Amino acid sequence: MAKRAKRQPLNPNWPVLKTYTGAHLRRIALPLGGIGTGTVSLGGRGDLRDWEIMNRPAKGYTPDRAFFALWAQAEGQEPVTRCLEGPVDPVDYEGASGCAVPNHGLPRFRECAFHAAYPLAQIAFADPEVPVRVRLEAMNPLVPADADASGIPAAVLRYVVTNPTRRPVAVSICGTVPNLIGADGSAGAPNRNVNRIRQASVLPGAASSCAEMGTRLEAAPTSIERSRARSAEGREAQLRGIAMSSQGVCPEALQWGTMALAVLGEGEVTYREAWHAEGWNTDLLAFWDDFSADGRLERGKGAFTPGLTPPADAFLRGSLALRCDLQPGETRALTFLITWHFPNRGGWDMRMGPDGSAPPRDEIVGNYYATRYRDAWDVAARTAAALPELERRTVAFVQAVVGSDLPEAVKDAALSNLSTLRTQTCFRTADGYLFAWEGCHDRMGCCPGSCTHVWNYEQATAFLFGDLAWGMREVEFLHATNDQGLMAFRVGLPLGKRAQEFGLAAADGQMGCLLKLYRDWQLRGDDDGLRALWPHARRALEFCWIPGGWDADQDGVMEGCQHNTMDVEYYGPNPQMGIWYLGALRAAEEMARYLGEEAFADRCQALFASGSAWVDANLFNGEYYEHEVRPLRADQIAPGLRHPSMGAANLSDPDFQLGAGCLVDQLVGQFLAHVCGLGYLTDRKHVRRTLRSIMRHNFISDLSGHFNHMRSYALGRESALLMSTYPRGRRPRKPFPYATEVMTGFEYTAAIGMLYEGQTKAGLKCIQAIRDRYDGLRRSPFDEAECGHHYGRAMASWAAILALTGFHYSAVTGTMSFAPVEGRHFWSTGYAWGTCRLKRAKQGWKATVEVIEGELALERLVLTGCDEPVQVAVRHV
């Protein structure tokens, strides 16, 4: 019987939510990077894939020869060398030239298991022929209320090695990273450049030396790329690595910048600044022979030499090895940092000239993270110095969520979808504002402009990074809203030049922004900030009442031409837009009254009452709310409300309507009203009946027999909530485009609505069904897609925490609220976070509020719907 190796025990301080093994490792790609910095993803077997660090998506961009390797030799035995990855999935064995997986021919560990609670990942490797046990700990700091600490362009890879034998074991771990500068994974990679490759060492005590060679590759701009080994002084004394830069890529190109590979830890460091390339993959052969001999890299062996021409597509590869000795029973941690610094973000336009030339300088909006660091080496040095504290704070956050008394699927959905903030879906311009695509295609962002009708759904940003959310409100109202009150639902960049250029308003997007302004003001407690935005917000609501507008007759019901998140216009009253509108009226009423504008507040209150009564009386069919289609003439539609090509062409009988359908997110306005604490927007009984109807009609336990003429995000024997069904018939001949699809952000909205209404079993069933589909086998657990990877709407999942705990907070009044449920609850306001332990006492309740980070103004704590007294203790941890 074959000998079975034991895996390295996990780090007991790092919480784990999910464990993936075997075939469920295949699709895993956990993004490692900061908010707005781009990422490198950690694959399920321990590989590095999807190098999306140069201002654009790059799915599938996995450069060859990017890997880590282990060399180990027990005293008196032959050495063993392994790629620090688990086995290649057999599905990938076949290809025209054999297996196409990068580094497929390297010996690797026989087994591995992936343990995760985002952003923490641990991979335990096992191989009976390897004399040590190895665990990879991978992370990037994520600390609520601290966007800077959560916005570091780095991947932290710590290899923890234990000697379980009775003999001393020499161990070396080597990382190899190509210098990718100029090559972002899209067409026009810089292998057409002129390469003059300088090898230089700046290691202490070593004389500087170099060897140069050059060759012209096609007729492209000159490019000089270099890698130089560096050793830092003072605090950086133990940080040694390879800094990568370019002297030939255009300094204004999106792909221009720096990279670094660095190592922390005591031991002997050896390196190669470049690999020798003579064809037939002998560069890999030479490297493997060198490293396998003694765990060291011989400098110059494999480096380019004068007169030798590399292939035109060659990258300059840097390798860095740390060697140490382990006594029996000893454990050592060898920490590597991969960092990057690419300052030239070009806003929404990712195009460039055919020769890789840069966009016009006045179109560059920059990256906020690049204003905080000089280059990638500066990132590595400063991150290394702060790493213990950054790790402690990150672990504290994850542990607070994982350790709360919430169902696993809720915690998994909430944490895993936070990864979207770190991907190329999101970025921060040099001024610090956060912007976002809807999602990412493989090589381009999908649907630009921080689309309001998509980003209305997500709740994570406001409750974890309040400053970033407030910045988005400033962009929406100060920049994207014109003097008439029309808010461009896709904001242009640069702000000073193109903010309102898009020129179209979305009914749901604009109304949702008013609700979000109320939400974020309550969380922030910034009266001056509200006063600055309020005139623009008031105009945005009054825009509903213009001639040809959404509610031109000012009766509290939207009847006009309503562009919306289905990418078409609805004509006539419908629940989706109508209830968004009711929520906006309630939010505006509260804000206006607080600011002393009683007359406007009364007007909003009257319109709300009228509209709510009408919607219940006319759109509720006894099970759910329907859409009453009312055709319009073109002259009845105000400018800026109708997209020129996406909706119905024939206004007298418009296509692409909801009609009598049971829509999965028809209560999305109510969803956000619950998050905001604004109460019911329509009849409470109707709300609850509608959610039960959505579950009954739209939840499919087996999709094998389901017809879908559009995109498939769920298939076969999977379970899901359909976008719409027509249980009473009367389906339009051409319903809205996505009627037969499944999309997780919409599913979360309905499921969380169920949780708010006490339909807990149904809501959790829907959330579990989503996470079952993102199981590593079929899809990555860290990439819920809609129109593109890492779709923003999926971060609606964070609100499940709010619904189950009943959490609300108002910095305006200093009031925190929870549902009267015993247990340990996680809370966050966007500016502070911690836990609350609720326990029923003989007389009333005991609440212990722990403030782990941030400043919390707490005047009183309320248990919603509970008249019993609450004894409150506040602890700052």
Side-chain angles (χ1 to χ4, degrees):
M1 186 173 181
K3 181 180 177 183
R4 187 177 182 85
K6 293 183 178 180
R7 292 183 185 139
Q8 174 83 304
L10 300 181
N11 184 337
N13 298 317
W14 280 27
V16 172
L17 257 179
K18 299 280 288 185
T19 295
Y20 305 88
T21 59
H24 290 269
L25 300 170
R26 175 174 171 76
R27 296 286 185 183
I28 291 175
L30 185 147
L32 295 171
I35 295 175
T37 72
T39 58
V40 178
S41 289
L42 178 68
R45 65 176 184 271
D47 57 307
L48 297 175
R49 60 180 70 174
D50 302 339
W51 289 67
E52 302 175 278
I53 60 178
M54 297 186 203
N55 301 308
R56 70 184 304 141
K59 281 286 175 280
Y61 183 40
T62 305
D64 212 10
R65 313 291 193 263
F67 65 92
F68 282 76
L70 166 79
W71 174 92
Q73 184 174 28
E75 187 177 73
Q77 297 182 355
E78 291 296 313
V80 175
T81 310
R82 292 285 187 273
C83 175
L84 276 161
E85 297 178 15
V88 173
D89 193 304
V91 173
D92 295 320
Y93 283 9
E94 185 180 30
S97 298
C99 181
V101 170
N103 310 309
H104 49 79
L106 301 183
R108 56 192 63 235
F109 284 78
R110 294 189 181 184
E111 299 177 16
C112 71
F114 192 103
H115 310 267
Y118 191 82
L120 307 174
Q122 302 183 68
I123 301 180
F125 299 98
D127 192 318
E129 296 180 1
V130 177
V132 292
R133 296 175 186 165
V134 186
R135 177 181 73 244
L136 168 60
E137 298 172 359
M139 64 163 288
N140 178 286
L142 182 62
V143 184
D146 192 340
D148 285 355
S150 306
I152 301 172
V156 180
L157 305 170
R158 177 186 300 132
Y159 292 93
V160 181
V161 187
T162 297
N163 176 8
T165 74
R166 298 179 180 179
R167 304 166 180 250
V169 177
V171 170
S172 180
I173 290 182
C174 176
T176 297
V177 172
N179 184 334
L180 303 176
I181 299 162
D184 62 10
S186 296
N191 60 357
R192 299 192 302 253
N193 292 350
V194 173
N195 282 354
R196 294 184 60 83
I197 303 172
R198 175 187 293 174
Q199 304 168 121
S201 68
V202 198
L203 288 174
S208 185
S209 63
C210 67
E212 294 186 356
M213 55 79 59
T215 180
R216 179 168 296 276
L217 310 177
E218 301 183 9
T222 297
S223 172
I224 302 175
E225 303 203 31
R226 66 172 183 231
S227 293
R228 52 196 174 117
R230 297 183 60 167
S231 177
E233 299 177 356
R235 286 190 308 167
E236 306 169 21
Q238 297 180 33
L239 181 72
R240 292 158 285 186
I242 300 172
M244 302 177 181
S245 60
S246 171
Q247 294 180 347
V249 173
C250 173
E252 295 184 354
L254 306 185
Q255 304 88 346
W256 178 84
T258 57
M259 297 171 60
L261 170 65
V263 64
L264 278 165
E266 296 293 335
E268 179 187 4
V269 173
T270 57
Y271 60 91
R272 282 190 177 198
E273 297 153 301
W275 283 24
H276 189 70
E278 293 183 300
W280 297 104
N281 287 343
T282 51
D283 57 342
L284 178 59
L285 176 64
F287 164 83
W288 198 258
D289 285 347
D290 183 19
F291 183 61
S292 297
D294 56 6
R296 298 180 177 90
L297 298 175
E298 186 175 343
R299 182 169 174 245
K301 201 172 187 179
F304 290 117
T305 53
L308 186 65
T309 303
D313 61 351
F315 288 114
L316 190 64
R317 298 180 176 92
S319 296
L320 185 69
L322 178 61
R323 191 180 190 275
C324 60
D325 296 318
L326 297 181
Q327 297 304 311
E330 185 180 1
T331 297
R332 292 280 297 272
L334 295 79
T335 302
F336 289 79
L337 301 176
I338 299 173
T339 59
W340 55 91
H341 185 276
F342 292 93
N344 299 329
R345 179 170 289 276
W348 307 118
D349 191 352
M350 293 182 169
R351 293 172 296 177
M352 64 194 72
D355 59 353
S357 58
R361 188 66 201 174
D362 62 356
E363 298 292 330
I364 296 292
V365 296
N367 280 313
Y368 173 74
Y369 80 81
T371 70
R372 298 185 60 237
Y373 301 98
R374 292 189 304 272
D375 55 22
W377 185 257
D378 188 37
V379 176
R382 291 166 57 187
T383 302
L387 188 55
E389 181 65 7
L390 291 168
E391 180 179 347
R392 182 197 65 76
R393 297 170 70 196
T394 300
V395 170
F397 161 58
V398 179
Q399 185 58 63
V401 176
V402 173
S404 65
D405 295 326
L406 289 168
E408 180 185 284
V410 169
K411 294 183 281 193
D412 180 33
L415 284 176
S416 296
N417 279 306
L418 293 182
S419 59
T420 293
L421 285 172
R422 334 262 264 177
T423 67
Q424 289 290 351
T425 293
C426 301
F427 59 93
R428 295 181 70 185
T429 50
D431 55 16
Y433 279 134
L434 177 69
F435 294 89
W437 303 84
E438 293 183 21
C440 291
H441 292 313
D442 287 353
R443 292 292 186 272
M444 292 287 292
C446 173
C447 306
S450 301
C451 178
T452 57
H453 64 61
V454 168
W455 283 83
N456 278 348
Y457 288 72
E458 77 90 12
Q459 303 301 313
T461 308
F463 284 90
L464 293 178
F465 300 100
D467 287 335
L468 297 183
W470 189 257
M472 295 183 84
R473 305 295 82 77
E474 289 181 343
V475 168
E476 290 157 359
F477 290 104
L478 296 181
H479 297 278
T481 302
N482 69 16
D483 292 341
Q484 188 185 24
L486 184 154
M487 179 189 293
F489 72 82
R490 300 190 190 278
V491 67
L493 286 174
L495 285 178
K497 184 178 179 181
R498 304 186 186 279
Q500 298 175 15
E501 189 175 69
F502 186 70
L504 294 176
D508 50 355
Q510 192 152 326
M511 298 302 99
C513 287
L514 289 162
L515 277 159
K516 291 186 297 185
L517 177 60
Y518 174 81
R519 177 199 65 194
D520 297 351
W521 164 59
Q522 287 289 313
L523 291 172
R524 188 178 180 88
D526 182 358
D527 290 354
D528 290 340
L530 177 63
R531 290 188 180 95
L533 299 189
W534 172 247
H536 309 272
R538 176 171 170 163
R539 283 200 301 274
L541 182 61
E542 292 172 329
F543 180 75
C544 298
W545 309 328
I546 65 172
W550 296 315
D551 183 17
D553 59 2
Q554 301 180 44
D555 62 352
V557 179
M558 278 198 173
E559 305 100 344
C561 173
Q562 304 151 61
H563 189 86
N564 65 80
T565 199
M566 303 306 173
D567 294 323
V568 295
E569 291 79 36
Y570 286 170
Y571 296 91
N574 64 86
Q576 190 178 32
M577 258 51 66
I579 296 175
W580 269 125
Y581 181 32
L582 296 176
L585 288 167
R586 278 288 294 117
E589 176 196 346
E590 294 292 332
M591 291 185 287
R593 209 171 296 284
Y594 184 85
L595 294 173
E597 297 189 14
E598 294 293 337
F600 189 76
D602 290 344
R603 184 181 186 188
C604 292
Q605 183 183 48
L607 286 174
F608 167 78
S610 172
S612 178
W614 192 94
V615 167
D616 274 321
N618 293 275
L619 298 187
F620 189 71
N621 65 13
E623 286 190 286
Y624 56 89
Y625 294 92
E626 292 189 6
H627 172 198
E628 181 183 301
V629 181
R630 295 184 185 176
L632 293 172
R633 300 188 311 272
D635 62 1
Q636 294 175 304
I637 302 172
L641 300 189
R642 184 185 179 201
H643 194 283
S645 61
M646 299 187 76
N650 180 6
L651 296 182
S652 64
D653 183 18
D655 288 329
F656 311 127
Q657 304 299 290
L658 168 63
C662 180
L663 182 66
V664 67
D665 71 325
Q666 60 189 280
L667 296 177
V668 59
Q670 182 63 70
F671 157 84
L672 190 49
H674 278 327
V675 169
C676 294
L678 286 170
Y680 283 90
L681 305 179
T682 57
D683 187 285
R684 179 179 182 179
K685 292 181 180 178
H686 291 174
V687 169
R688 293 184 170 184
R689 182 67 183 271
T690 295
L691 288 165
R692 286 193 292 268
S693 297
I694 291 171
M695 188 67 186
R696 179 168 63 254
H697 297 309
N698 294 38
F699 187 83
I700 305 295
S701 59
D702 185 339
L703 289 164
S704 299
H706 172 64
F707 170 79
N708 173 23
H709 65 291
M710 288 287 288
R711 304 162 300 185
S712 291
Y713 298 111
L715 287 165
R717 300 181 67 178
E718 295 179 322
S719 302
L721 277 172
L722 298 178
M723 286 292 291
S724 70
T725 56
Y726 289 83
R728 297 186 168 207
R730 296 183 285 127
R731 194 206 79 184
R733 185 176 66 87
K734 295 180 182 178
F736 71 95
Y738 313 129
T740 57
E741 289 189 351
V742 167
M743 292 180 271
T744 68
F746 294 101
E747 292 179 275
Y748 284 126
T749 301
I752 293 165
M754 295 172 197
L755 298 181
Y756 271 118
E757 301 305 329
Q759 299 169 22
T760 306
K761 183 177 179 180
L764 293 180
K765 183 176 182 179
C766 295
I767 294 174
Q768 186 66 63
I770 296 170
R771 296 309 295 169
D772 284 346
R773 303 199 302 264
Y774 289 83
D775 63 351
L777 172 65
R778 292 165 284 191
R779 302 170 188 87
S780 173
F782 311 101
D783 181 6
E784 291 193 14
E786 189 180 314
C787 184
H789 301 281
H790 311 294
Y791 202 78
R793 198 185 327 255
M795 286 191 289
S797 56
W798 187 262
I801 294 177
L802 311 178
L804 287 174
T805 61
F807 175 75
H808 290 100
Y809 175 72
S810 170
V812 178
T813 64
T815 303
M816 182 179 285
S817 304
F818 287 97
V821 178
E822 285 191 294
R824 185 174 189 260
H825 307 313
F826 176 85
W827 61 265
S828 58
T829 69
Y831 305 92
W833 57 277
T835 62
C836 179
R837 295 180 183 272
L838 290 178
K839 186 175 182 180
R840 185 182 291 276
K842 290 184 179 180
Q843 295 182 341
W845 290 76
K846 289 185 177 181
T848 302
V849 178
E850 293 185 341
V851 182
I852 299 176
E853 288 207 24
E855 297 294 328
L856 179 71
L858 184 61
E859 298 296 327
R860 64 182 184 133
L861 189 145
V862 175
L863 298 185
T864 306
C866 178
D867 296 328
E868 299 176 74
V870 183
Q871 181 182 343
V872 181
V874 179
R875 296 177 52 230
H876 291 266
V877 180

